[in-house]
Amino acid sequence: MVSAARVRWTARVVRRVVAAVASVVVPVATAAAADPPAGLGAEIDRVAAALGPRARVAVWFGTADGRPLLARDADAPMPSASAIKAAYLLELFAARAPGLADPLPGADAVLADATHPAVVHFTAEQRETARRLLGGRSTRGIAEAMIGGRDVDNVTYNIAANLVTAWGGGPAGLTRRMRARDPRLGGLVARRYMLADRKADGDNEATAAALAAVHAMLARRDVPGVDPAAIDACREVLAAGADSAGRRVFRKDGELDSDPVTRTRAGWREDAHGARVFAVLVAEDVAAEADRPAAAARLDAAARRIEGLLFDER
């Protein structure tokens, strides 16, 4: 029989263990649920207002489970530039995860066909460079070129995305793939191959909410219908080091200096307390080509400033 003293001693030990665990768990849970800095929305509004009436600014900022901490015009369609490639990457790896070391099916045929819509708008010299740098490259290698421009020039970086688009069934087919993944991705639309005429068939677009949803799924490692190994492979390609606070950064940004001038910054930052997901899309209609460099500089500064505000980088 256990003595009463033994029972009391055991109870005290249990209480101490519970208290010790609580002292660790509670601050982490509190930190993960912390609200953004006070007045953040008003500060972002001031940044947007300073850009003038022709500029559009959309922001989604929140947790990896999809809880918004701040949303500004988050359901408004915006030109996405290369930031939409994060969704392309997800679809590619979802389908090709067992064979990421194998060549991307059909890629070499597209590179060899000067009339294919994925490459027809490039010069012969640019196509030859792409054939040299991307021909026979693994699926993962093409993805790395598409996302980070690894070992390629800017044109080939975009041709790599066009090879993925062609593999996915062209812009319309890739749009169907992205939207079928999850209803939250309904704000993503591919209408053209990268660097093709933005006016001919319409622009590639994303809402801040939909673009953030792509990154939130990857941040929490929970994407409908996607194997964990494919998710981890996506995360590896999107990894971008650490920020000044020591948080791991994952991102895919985008920029275009044609009309409309576009700057997009999107991804997530994570530490032991969890992840914060962000999508900042800024665009301005600038018809006069001579005015675009100044507009690009303004928008670039504004997008960076907004991202800094989201993470309290004053």
Side-chain angles (χ1 to χ4, degrees):
M1 178 177 290
V2 179
S3 68
R6 180 68 175 177
V7 171
R8 286 194 297 272
W9 177 85
T10 302
R12 285 197 300 272
V13 171
V14 170
R15 285 195 297 270
R16 287 172 184 166
V17 171
V18 170
V21 172
S23 69
V24 174
V25 174
V26 170
V28 172
T30 301
D35 289 330
L40 176 61
E43 288 194 66
I44 291 174
D45 285 344
R46 284 193 287 272
V47 174
L51 291 173
R54 291 183 302 184
R56 294 167 281 151
V57 176
V59 180
W60 194 99
F61 178 61
T63 60
D65 63 5
R67 180 170 69 93
L69 300 175
L70 182 145
R72 183 187 196 278
D73 291 337
D75 293 322
M78 297 282 288
S80 63
S82 284
I84 200 172
K85 293 177 183 177
Y88 293 10
L89 173 71
L90 176 56
E91 291 309 314
L92 177 64
F93 279 17
R96 298 286 303 160
L100 296 185
D102 299 330
L104 179 63
D108 284 358
V110 172
L111 289 170
D113 182 1
T115 66
H116 195 284
V119 297
V120 69
H121 49 291
F122 297 105
T123 67
E125 182 180 1
Q126 290 169 334
R127 291 193 298 270
E128 178 55 36
T129 298
R131 280 195 296 272
R132 176 170 52 83
L133 296 176
L134 299 178
R137 200 162 179 170
S138 70
T139 297
R140 184 180 182 119
I142 288 177
E144 290 171 342
M146 169 182 76
I147 295 295
R150 182 174 175 177
D151 301 328
V152 299
D153 60 281
N154 183 67
V155 168
T156 304
Y157 152 80
N158 282 293
I159 290 178
N162 290 352
L163 296 179
V164 174
T165 305
W167 161 86
L174 194 51
T175 297
R176 287 191 295 270
R177 285 175 180 263
M178 294 186 295
R179 290 179 167 182
R181 179 68 51 196
D182 189 278
R184 287 165 290 189
L185 307 187
L188 302 176
V189 55
R191 296 192 181 93
R192 65 181 179 89
Y193 286 96
M194 295 291 167
L195 299 188
D197 187 344
R198 298 175 73 184
K199 307 296 184 183
D201 297 310
D203 214 349
N204 296 333
E205 291 182 336
T207 65
L211 195 56
V214 174
H215 291 287
M217 291 175 186
L218 292 171
R220 67 176 181 267
R221 289 188 168 92
D222 182 14
V223 185
V226 181
D227 184 88
I231 295 172
D232 285 344
C234 288
R235 288 171 58 96
E236 290 166 5
V237 174
L238 293 170
D243 66 10
S244 59
R247 292 169 293 211
R248 290 179 294 173
V249 179
F250 302 80
R251 65 186 314 130
K252 181 68 196 94
D253 301 334
E255 61 181 56
L256 283 168
D257 290 345
S258 53
D259 186 34
V261 178
T262 301
R263 290 294 184 273
T264 300
R265 302 178 70 80
W268 74 94
R269 305 188 194 188
E270 67 180 26
D271 57 19
H273 303 307
R276 286 289 181 269
V277 180
F278 64 96
V280 179
L281 296 91
V282 185
E284 181 177 342
D285 297 317
V286 185
E289 188 170 352
D291 296 335
R292 292 175 192 164
R298 287 196 306 274
L299 267 61
D300 192 70
R304 292 176 184 275
R305 173 62 175 157
I306 292 171
E307 183 183 346
L309 289 170
L310 296 177
F311 291 94
D312 204 19
E313 297 173 340
R314 307 285 167 153

